[in-house]
Amino acid sequence: MTDAAVAGAPRTRAPQASDQYVQSLARGLSVIRAFDAAHPVMTLSEVAARTNLTRATARRFLHTLVELGYVRTDGKTFALTAMVLQLGYSYLSALSLPQLAQPHLEDLSLNLGESTSAAVLDGMDIFYVARVTTRRIMTVGISVGTRFPAYATSMGRVLLANLPPQKLDEYLSAVEFKALTPRTITAREELVAELNRVRKQGWCLLDQELEIGLMSIAAPVWNHNAGHVAAAVNVSLQAQNVAAQPNPEAYLESVREQIVETARAISRDVSAKH
């Protein structure tokens, strides 16, 4: 999988104009979001191209962000500073889910010897809020804050499968499907059928649709008091390691049982706190 496939500019729908919408703020945030793992340092022209802004407009926003401390520059290129982490800190600190999920993910990772994660749905993407890494198995590094297209991830499908019908329809009407690998589902009807299956069985197995060689199994984390799925958790697996097991199907079933039980444990903690 190419970096551009998963680390491109954020895919969001342009909001309709209203007296409640501040375009300059939206543009400034788009400049911040233009920087990612594949584009940590960019020139003015590159920022303008990735944000669909004119060079003059991009320059004003970049230099404003430099003055505020969110961006640094050497006069030719620009890069984010650690200060941007403050933008997400309030959200993460108010969200108890990462703290509740982390010990469960650590236990599961220790038992399986595999990386585990928790994510929430944010627009068209999943947003990682907790992560326990054993080794890097993707060409693109994953950490808290990483985003991937929801339709092509196990956690994303779990989250989409449990959306209210109207919200799911809005997502399906807005999403831009891309074949990240030859296995990626890119047809709406096929994705809907898969989401129905995920909803009924209560978990999702993704086989090399996000990146060749990568498999994952995810399950939903419920907030039973609120009556909705608050997040999803998963285990990442290397396809070749799964194939090398004496009984691959039995191994996947064991992993599935453990991630489902982990999701239930986190759900109990989340429901008890809320």
Side-chain angles (χ1 to χ4, degrees):
M1 176 196 290
T2 62
D3 286 351
V6 295
R11 298 172 305 285
T12 56
R13 299 177 69 182
Q16 296 182 350
S18 74
D19 59 359
Q20 303 298 316
Y21 179 71
V22 182
Q23 187 178 57
S24 59
L25 175 59
R27 288 178 172 179
L29 292 174
S30 74
V31 170
I32 292 176
R33 294 197 304 271
F35 294 90
D36 56 28
H39 307 83
V41 180
M42 291 188 287
T43 64
L44 169 61
S45 296
E46 289 170 332
V47 172
R50 283 179 56 78
T51 55
N52 293 319
L53 298 174
T54 65
R55 281 174 51 86
T57 300
R59 180 185 294 109
R60 289 198 299 273
F61 283 116
L62 282 168
H63 283 289
T64 298
L65 291 168
V66 169
E67 289 296 319
L68 293 173
Y70 293 110
V71 170
R72 67 175 185 273
T73 181
D74 60 7
K76 294 183 179 180
T77 61
F78 298 85
L80 297 180
T81 70
M83 191 171 174
V84 298
L85 295 175
Q86 295 181 8
L87 297 176
Y89 179 75
S90 296
Y91 169 73
L92 289 175
S93 62
L95 184 69
S96 60
L97 174 66
Q99 291 79 17
L100 295 174
Q102 193 70 26
H104 294 286
L105 295 178
E106 290 174 355
D107 288 344
L108 181 61
S109 179
L110 182 62
N111 289 339
L112 294 174
E114 302 289 356
S115 298
T116 59
S117 308
V120 297
L121 189 64
D122 185 31
M124 299 289 101
D125 303 326
I126 60 167
F127 179 88
Y128 281 70
V129 296
R131 173 79 170 164
V132 179
T133 304
T134 58
R135 58 182 175 274
R136 180 165 171 170
I137 62 176
M138 288 192 69
T139 57
V140 178
I142 303 175
S143 60
V144 171
T146 294
R147 307 173 73 94
F148 288 127
Y151 68 89
T153 63
S154 61
M155 289 190 288
R157 289 184 183 173
V158 164
L159 293 164
L160 292 173
N162 288 284
L163 283 178
Q166 181 179 349
K167 292 293 184 181
L168 177 58
D169 187 64
E170 291 175 359
Y171 173 89
L172 293 171
S173 297
V175 67
E176 297 179 10
F177 291 108
K178 293 182 180 179
L180 306 181
T181 80
R183 295 171 176 257
T184 309
I185 291 177
T186 57
R188 173 171 175 153
E189 296 77 12
E190 189 176 355
L191 179 61
V192 169
E194 177 62 18
L195 295 180
N196 287 336
R197 180 162 44 252
V198 169
R199 187 182 307 110
K200 291 178 181 178
Q201 66 190 17
W203 52 273
C204 175
L205 169 64
L206 194 82
D207 187 1
Q208 304 181 76
E209 293 190 49
L210 181 64
E211 179 168 303
I212 291 297
L214 177 68
M215 300 175 69
S216 62
I217 303 179
V221 172
W222 284 85
N223 181 334
H224 294 294
N225 293 332
H228 66 79
V229 170
V233 291
N234 84 341
V235 175
S236 301
L237 305 166
Q238 288 183 305
Q240 62 181 13
N241 289 347
V242 172
Q245 297 293 323
N247 188 332
E249 290 187 4
Y251 174 71
L252 287 175
E253 176 64 14
S254 174
V255 174
R256 182 196 68 78
E257 290 175 352
Q258 292 184 66
I259 188 63
V260 168
E261 181 52 41
T262 295
R264 288 173 179 166
I266 299 172
S267 297
R268 288 192 291 269
D269 288 352
V270 169
S271 300
K273 190 173 182 63
H274 294 84

